[in-house]
Amino acid sequence: MKNWEKIRCSPKLKKIQILRSKIGDLIRDFFKKGGFLEIQTPTLVKCAGQEPYLSPMEVHFRDEKNKKYKGFLITSPEYSLKKLLVAGFDKIFELAKVFRSNESFGGIHSPEFTMLEWYRANSDYQQIMKDVEQLVYFLNKKINCSNYLNYQGKKINLTPPWPRLSVKEAFLKYAGINLDKAKNLKSFKSQIKNKMYLMDDWNDIFYSIFLNEIEPRLPENRPIIIYDYPLPQASLAKRKNKNSFHVERFEVYITGLELANAFSELTDAKEQLERLKQEQILRKKMKKNYIPIDKDFIYALELGMPPSGGIALGLERLQMLLLGIKDINDLLIFPVQQLFTEPR
Amino acid sequence: MISTSDFQKGIIINFESQSWLIVDFQFVHPGKGAAFVKTKLKNLITGNMVEKTFKSGEEFGEAKTEIIKAKFLYSHRNRFFFCKEKESSFRFDVPKETIGSAFSFLKVNQIVDATLLDEKIINISLPIKVFLKVIEAPPSFKGNTAQGGTKTATLETGAQINVPLFVETGDVIEVNTEKGEYVRRVE
């Protein structure tokens, strides 16, 4: 049965959709009360994100004179939202539909999902940590009337502040690896005892260790903020200081589920352009589709972006946590799995 | 070779010179990293369960297994007895764990796939679709949707599952054995 049919004969499933809508309303209340402006930026863009490990979906279309254009569906609205920080908006948020190819059709992934992003000008990732704690705590209080979240048999205390663990501490504590002595592939590999992790890419080793050694050992009764990522994992984050190996980036995990990723935003146009060029080279090496660099974004940084903090949070994952749902295909009304693989 | 994209519950991979049965798996794609596959593996020698996360695209040696068609005969004290489909004198039995949660949909004469590794039965898998008769479904009254529009029915194998209100005693329904869910009414 398709999900919409199941809803037809189940008030319980209908209730889940009503609560999803309520969560959307509460998110808007939360940000509007905090003085944030809701913005809508385009889903169809000329230059998608350059991240080497993501696969943006290509779109081909024509204008009224039949001239061909090629664009992409966004994997995140971040470039547009940062241009708006430069334009002079200082507290903004968006609930954006985002698209990623080469993702699993279900479980904790879907090729189409919703990203909640918010940005604060004249701020940094420390303030964003506080925002995300307050937001999740507030939503759970309204939806489940408790300081605790019950998810898949686990009881999680959401009361802020949440425990924080730096990436450096996590690697040292759970995997016995000193990341300060793992700045390149060779020095990283020399510290590895388990053959399973001997790969030829710094980031692959990083995540193999993270997913096998660290994530399964993170406390399950509290959310956790993992912060200060090493430079190869910098993405669009600002360095801690000029020559630091660590950047101001954090991730939020709740019972092992990666919920959100945040930065003190990189505002240096030159360094940003250099990183995008490096990522473009890496994409070519990995045989990923070519994506032009968004020069308009670089130009915005040249004009001057205020020091800012920003975050991307997977809305469906948050809804799954709040509503006790394990598989995203049981949350969405029209999951890609049913739209594209199940016949009628 | 078996790649992570061939992963399915019930297949066997060789890893660190031992054979492991994939009990469960899930794709995970960290926001800023490559895709990985989280797996629950059962060591086929020791029976130990471990959790391992592999990079998507990694390849593994294949264990030399053989799949035979077998017929379910009966169960007794949590042991399930089968024979080869075309050779009823070749009998074997397995504990409930070898079959997994789908055991409750096993009906006498049901044909299943039995996986053999070194002449030992290490896995039984039922067809994803099976047709089973409802032997007991509480009557439903018009407008009675307070219990979520579904009710619990008992099937001929003794399994209890949620079905829509219109399903009645004597109906034959299609069941998805992997998810343990009602799919549709057949007649």
Side-chain angles (χ1 to χ4, degrees):
Chain A
M1 264 203 288
K2 307 258 182 188
N3 281 2
W4 66 265
E5 285 175 276
K6 289 185 194 163
I7 292 168
R8 185 168 172 257
C9 55
S10 167
K12 208 172 119 192
L13 294 180
K14 194 174 170 189
K15 180 87 190 287
I16 287 175
Q17 299 305 324
I18 294 169
L19 287 171
R20 282 182 71 198
S21 176
K22 190 175 174 193
I23 291 170
D25 292 344
L26 290 166
I27 288 171
R28 290 190 165 94
D29 285 352
F30 178 87
F31 284 107
K32 286 179 182 171
K33 266 186 201 141
F36 282 77
L37 181 73
E38 181 169 11
I39 301 263
Q40 285 220 293
T41 64
T43 310
L44 175 62
V45 294
K46 193 175 160 195
C47 309
Q50 198 68 249
E51 266 145 337
Y53 299 101
L54 295 185
S55 306
M57 294 186 193
E58 288 182 12
V59 180
H60 299 267
F61 61 107
R62 289 161 187 269
D63 69 7
E64 80 282 19
K65 292 172 192 146
N66 212 26
K67 188 182 165 198
K68 278 189 203 166
Y69 291 85
K70 184 178 132 183
F72 296 91
L73 298 179
I74 53 167
T75 57
S76 148
E78 61 191 331
Y79 292 170
S80 298
L81 287 168
K82 286 183 197 176
K83 288 174 197 173
L84 294 175
L85 290 172
V86 176
F89 295 103
D90 59 358
K91 285 195 246 173
I92 47 178
F93 78 101
E94 177 167 14
L95 285 158
K97 282 279 187 173
V98 299
F99 298 82
R100 295 175 180 188
S101 193
N102 293 98
E103 297 286 353
S104 165
F105 289 12
I108 54 170
H109 292 281
S110 166
E112 173 179 347
F113 64 102
T114 315
M115 199 74 105
L116 166 62
E117 298 210 357
W118 70 91
Y119 291 82
R120 280 176 180 271
N122 306 309
S123 187
D124 66 4
Y125 74 152
Q126 296 283 355
Q127 178 58 44
I128 303 290
M129 288 182 196
K130 289 178 193 153
D131 288 342
V132 68
E133 287 170 343
Q134 291 298 336
L135 173 72
V136 176
Y137 178 76
F138 163 79
L139 292 174
N140 189 59
K141 197 98 184 167
K142 291 282 183 190
I143 297 289
N144 296 316
C145 306
S146 170
N147 297 343
Y148 289 86
L149 181 71
N150 286 300
Y151 187 71
Q152 306 298 319
K154 287 161 198 154
K155 199 172 175 193
I156 306 133
N157 182 354
L158 295 180
T159 315
W162 296 346
R164 287 147 165 73
L165 183 68
S166 74
V167 174
K168 192 177 148 181
E169 287 162 356
F171 270 76
L172 206 54
K173 185 170 171 189
Y174 298 114
I177 286 171
N178 183 349
L179 282 181
D180 284 339
K181 291 182 184 150
K183 292 184 183 174
N184 58 43
L185 186 62
K186 204 178 149 203
S187 58
F188 203 173
K189 274 186 166 178
S190 72
Q191 292 188 64
I192 290 164
K193 289 163 204 97
N194 188 335
K195 280 204 304 258
M196 185 179 161
Y197 312 132
L198 288 179
M199 300 160 168
D200 288 321
D201 180 86
W202 197 98
N203 287 308
D204 287 348
I205 299 177
F206 179 87
Y207 272 106
S208 288
I209 294 172
F210 187 82
L211 292 168
N212 278 293
E213 309 288 331
I214 299 170
E215 197 213 84
R217 297 190 179 114
L218 295 175
E220 291 196 311
N221 59 348
R222 290 283 273 156
I224 188 155
I225 291 176
I226 308 274
Y227 69 97
D228 286 356
Y229 278 71
L231 202 52
Q233 276 287 308
S235 199
L236 306 186
K238 182 184 108 175
R239 287 198 203 201
K240 283 199 78 63
N241 46 53
K242 201 167 174 258
N243 292 315
S244 172
F245 182 60
H246 289 91
V247 296
E248 295 194 347
R249 170 183 160 203
F250 76 84
E251 293 244 3
V252 178
Y253 285 86
I254 300 185
T255 67
L257 193 63
E258 181 191 354
L259 181 65
N261 174 68
F263 308 134
S264 292
E265 303 295 343
L266 177 63
T267 51
D268 182 327
K270 236 169 103 188
E271 182 165 357
Q272 182 65 79
L273 181 62
E274 194 45 48
R275 282 195 208 170
L276 291 178
K277 280 182 179 164
Q278 288 300 327
E279 290 188 333
Q280 211 171 32
I281 293 167
L282 195 54
R283 287 189 72 85
K284 198 174 170 189
K285 242 193 216 165
M286 293 164 70
K287 300 195 171 83
K288 295 266 186 179
N289 52 355
Y290 169 81
I291 295 164
I293 288 176
D294 188 342
K295 288 184 184 140
D296 196 41
F297 171 54
I298 299 297
Y299 177 67
L301 296 184
E302 280 166 3
L303 282 180
M305 181 169 134
S308 307
I311 186 167
L313 181 151
L315 178 67
E316 284 82 0
R317 287 194 184 168
L318 179 57
Q319 290 173 335
M320 286 159 71
L321 287 167
L322 292 168
L323 303 174
I325 291 168
K326 199 179 164 195
D327 190 321
I328 192 167
N329 287 348
D330 294 329
L331 179 88
L332 300 172
I333 310 185
F334 300 104
V336 166
Q337 167 86 20
Q338 289 180 3
L339 289 177
F340 286 82
T341 71
E342 290 177 17
R344 168 95 276 155
Chain B
M1 295 295 264
I2 299 178
S3 154
T4 52
S5 54
D6 306 320
F7 275 14
Q8 274 176 25
K9 283 184 199 175
I11 70 164
I12 293 143
I13 57 168
N14 281 336
F15 161 65
E16 288 177 350
S17 33
Q18 290 187 311
S19 297
W20 304 80
L21 177 80
I22 298 180
V23 179
D24 205 357
F25 70 101
Q26 183 174 48
F27 283 87
V28 281
H29 189 174
K32 309 292 172 202
F36 286 80
V37 188
K38 277 190 181 176
T39 59
K40 263 191 201 135
L41 302 172
K42 185 176 166 186
N43 185 311
L44 292 174
I45 313 287
T46 63
N48 286 348
M49 297 276 274
V50 295
E51 290 188 12
K52 292 275 175 209
T53 303
F54 301 106
K55 201 191 153 203
S56 201
E58 235 178 287
E59 290 187 322
F60 303 89
E62 243 167 299
K64 280 194 187 120
T65 57
E66 187 193 348
I67 292 179
I68 57 165
K69 291 280 178 204
K71 187 155 75 178
F72 175 60
L73 301 172
Y74 63 94
S75 66
H76 180 64
R77 293 190 172 172
N78 281 333
R79 303 283 312 176
F80 289 75
F81 293 78
F82 297 83
C83 68
K84 263 191 180 176
E85 186 185 13
K86 301 224 165 87
E87 193 184 339
S88 57
S89 59
F90 182 101
R91 290 193 174 198
F92 60 89
D93 64 287
V94 297
K96 193 155 76 179
E97 293 72 39
T98 307
I99 308 169
S101 59
F103 79 88
S104 64
F105 302 116
L106 267 178
K107 162 169 99 163
V108 173
N109 293 331
Q110 172 72 55
I111 304 298
V112 298
D113 284 338
T115 310
L116 277 155
L117 176 74
D118 300 334
E119 290 169 22
K120 200 180 150 203
I121 304 287
I122 48 139
N123 189 49
I124 297 282
S125 48
L126 274 76
I128 292 183
K129 277 185 197 176
V130 296
F131 299 108
L132 294 169
K133 199 169 184 172
V134 176
I135 55 162
E136 203 192 327
S140 41
F141 303 100
K142 231 184 178 169
N144 177 13
T145 52
Q147 271 86 46
T150 60
K151 59 186 180 182
T152 307
T154 309
L155 307 180
E156 57 184 309
T157 59
Q160 292 198 321
I161 66 167
N162 285 331
V163 298
L165 293 177
F166 57 75
V167 172
E168 290 169 5
T169 303
D171 286 350
V172 174
I173 61 167
E174 183 185 319
V175 174
N176 178 319
T177 57
E178 232 171 46
K179 295 183 185 164
E181 274 179 10
Y182 166 89
V183 181
R184 64 193 173 101
R185 182 164 64 173
V186 182
E187 55 185 85

